Structures are given as structure tokens and as C-alpha cells.
Amino acid sequence: MVGTRPPDHPSAEFREGDLRGLPAVDGEFGGAVALYSLIHLPPAEHRAVLTEVARTLRPGAPLLLAFHRGSEARHLTDWWGHQVDVTFHFLDPDAVTADLTAAGFTLRAHLDRAPYPHEAETDRSYLLAVRS
């Protein structure tokens, strides 16, 4: 699906990729949002993934991350009535911040919050960083 343009939004380009090897040239993007994306990868891969994201961003470009806060990994085989094989990694904000810094980002803001009533009962963190 790389480079496709949907007929109802001809000026929008959609790309499908993997955070470990993004389909983009160096400095192509002016910002990125990764809401609950890192939770699908083992923490040992985060520094390399964030380095790859940094590669695609221009200097000064923002990156917004959101993730479930903690240290556990939850594996699901059934989710909303469907058979799945997925693991959610809960993350330590300090560890993610260290990975961001090592990948060439500067942390600008950090917000922690409790779950809203309609959400799973997990604490969440939001980190706003900019590419150095």
C-alpha cells in the first residue's frame, strides 16, 4: 500500500510500513504521532525504533508518544470476541525517555493520567519530544 491515494482524498498519501524500517527518506516528515505503537514491540527494540523515527523527521520536528505505564507484558489470545496472538508491553516513562534521548530527541513534556471510565484500567503516559 506504499504511496496509494484513496479516491475520496486524492491529495492524501497513505503508506503502510514497519517502525523498524519506515518507508520514508531522511528528514521527510515535519512531525509524527505514535499513540500506543511502542507497546507492540519488546522494550529492547525501542531505541532502534526511535532512532528510525528520528531519521525520518526534520530537526525540530515533534514526536508524540502514548503508552500504558508499568512493567508488565499482557498476552491476549481473545480480544473483543476474536482470536488473536498479541502482547502489550507496559512501559516505564523514564526508560522511554532515555531511549528518546539516545535516539536524538529532547523531551519537552510528560503527562501521566489514570484511565477514563470507558477505558481499560491502566495508567497511561504521554511524551512530547522534538528531534534534536
Side-chain angles (χ1 to χ4, degrees), residues 16-124:
E16 183 178 49
D18 186 313
L19 285 171
R20 293 167 286 209
L22 293 168
V25 299
D26 295 358
E28 182 174 351
F29 300 120
V33 176
L35 302 180
Y36 305 97
S37 300
L38 287 181
I39 65 171
H40 299 288
L41 298 169
E45 294 185 29
H46 292 174
R47 190 165 292 186
V49 164
L50 293 170
T51 298
E52 173 64 1
V53 172
R55 178 191 67 77
T56 68
L57 294 176
R58 293 181 207 119
L63 169 63
L64 177 63
L65 296 174
F67 50 89
H68 300 281
R69 195 170 68 247
S71 59
E72 68 180 290
R74 290 187 188 173
H75 183 78
L76 298 181
T77 56
D78 182 79
W79 194 18
W80 296 334
H82 297 279
Q83 288 186 347
V84 296
D85 181 14
V86 65
T87 300
F88 299 96
H89 298 273
F90 289 53
L91 307 175
D92 173 9
D94 292 335
V96 176
T97 299
D99 288 340
L100 280 166
T101 300
F105 288 93
T106 302
L107 185 67
R108 293 286 189 231
H110 174 171
L111 172 73
D112 292 329
R113 73 167 177 86
Y116 296 129
H118 65 279
E119 295 178 321
E121 292 188 20
T122 64
D123 291 328
R124 292 111 198 284

